[in-house]
Amino acid sequence: MAINKSINQYLIKHGFEAFHPKAVLFDMDGVLYDSMPHHVIAWQRSMAQFGIHMTEEDAYATEGARGIDTIRQMVRKQKGEDISLDEAQRMYDVKSRLFHEMGETAIFDGVIDLMRKIRQHGMTVGVVTGSGQKPLINRLLTDFSEFLDESHVVTAYDVEKGKPAPDPYLMGLRKCGNLHPWQGIVVENAPLGIRAGVAAQCLTVAVNSGPLPDDILRQAGADVLFHRMTDLAIAFEDIINV
């Protein structure tokens, strides 16, 4: 009943007549992989080398944005400087190296089951990430090769404006068959990504896999909220059959 109400509110909010999902667009870090703890450490250690203080909350609050955008924002905020894209990329390369040195992170329980259900219902699996790191994208395509191919992945290099702009998810809809917003479901774990999904007018599902309070994700506009991917996998049929 709660899911029915949430989807009805979604339709009213955007002025849509019906909800006919044909694709599920996943964020990557913190949604498919339990990778955020490693990202937090990599962000804190790398930024400290450049005199930037980054908290755990900063890392989660900016998760989903392009790394270079996050760095330019943090430098502007703490040092009052506008650095170039090339300088931000150099700093991001340090962060990426530290992240990869920590080894691979686990796929969240429930992800494979959920993707299997998506495909069984004739729907498309897509991934929309703020990452542009080739090793991560390659792992993504290997781990989920049964459900996903490169043509359905949006990375930081596919758009000029990253999350929270709607552009990444609008590109995801385009890559999954030029779909309308009411034909897409966004699955996110962080405020910026949720705001991007909402701005793209897709049904936006939050899975709060991190330390941020639920209210922060609801305030970002999440239409439905779960605490584990396993919970979303169990409720998936209820969402698509409303």
Side-chain angles (χ1 to χ4, degrees), residues 4 8 11 27 29 40 66 106 114 123 143 148-149 159-160 188 195-196 200-201 207 209 213 236 242:
N4 285 351
N8 285 335
L11 293 172
D27 179 37
D29 292 304
V40 170
R66 299 191 306 173
L114 177 54
M123 298 170 65
D143 288 345
L148 180 71
D149 61 57
V159 292
E160 290 186 11
E188 273 282 356
R195 287 169 56 193
Q201 299 188 310
V207 178
S209 60
F236 182 68
V242 169

Side-chain angles (χ1 to χ4, degrees), residues 25-175:
L25 304 174
F26 294 93
D27 179 37
M28 182 173 67
D29 292 304
V31 172
L32 300 180
Y33 296 106
D34 188 12
S35 51
M36 282 306 296
H38 282 192
H39 279 293
V40 170
I41 294 170
W43 272 121
Q44 291 178 324
R45 291 179 178 174
S46 62
M47 292 304 101
Q49 296 181 27
F50 299 97
I52 299 297
H53 176 66
M54 195 164 191
T55 66
E56 179 185 44
E57 185 176 30
D58 288 333
Y60 276 92
T62 58
E63 193 269 308
R66 299 191 306 173
I68 55 174
D69 292 337
T70 296
I71 289 169
R72 296 183 82 194
Q73 176 185 334
M74 296 295 290
V75 172
R76 188 179 302 115
K77 179 180 178 181
Q78 295 188 23
K79 293 189 172 184
E81 300 174 6
D82 286 315
I83 61 173
S84 68
L85 289 172
D86 287 342
E87 177 64 12
Q89 184 65 54
R90 184 174 72 85
M91 295 168 68
Y92 185 60
D93 288 344
V94 175
K95 182 265 176 179
S96 299
R97 176 177 56 79
L98 291 174
F99 175 79
H100 289 295
E101 287 175 354
M102 286 185 278
E104 290 189 344
T105 54
I107 298 171
F108 274 116
D109 291 341
V111 169
I112 298 297
D113 289 342
L114 177 54
M115 287 190 176
R116 189 167 288 122
K117 288 183 178 183
I118 293 167
R119 294 302 300 272
Q120 286 171 350
H121 285 277
M123 298 170 65
T124 302
V125 173
V127 173
V128 177
T129 174
S131 175
Q133 299 178 49
K134 197 63 177 175
L136 294 182
I137 306 305
N138 288 340
R139 186 192 172 193
L140 183 74
L141 295 171
T142 298
D143 288 345
F144 304 111
S145 60
E146 182 182 350
F147 315 102
L148 180 71
D149 61 57
E150 193 168 9
S151 67
H152 296 131
V153 177
V154 177
T155 74
Y157 299 114
D158 287 312
V159 292
E160 290 186 11
K161 294 181 179 179
K163 302 172 187 178
D167 304 43
Y169 281 110
L170 293 175
M171 178 63 73
L173 291 171
R174 198 170 304 131
K175 285 195 172 193

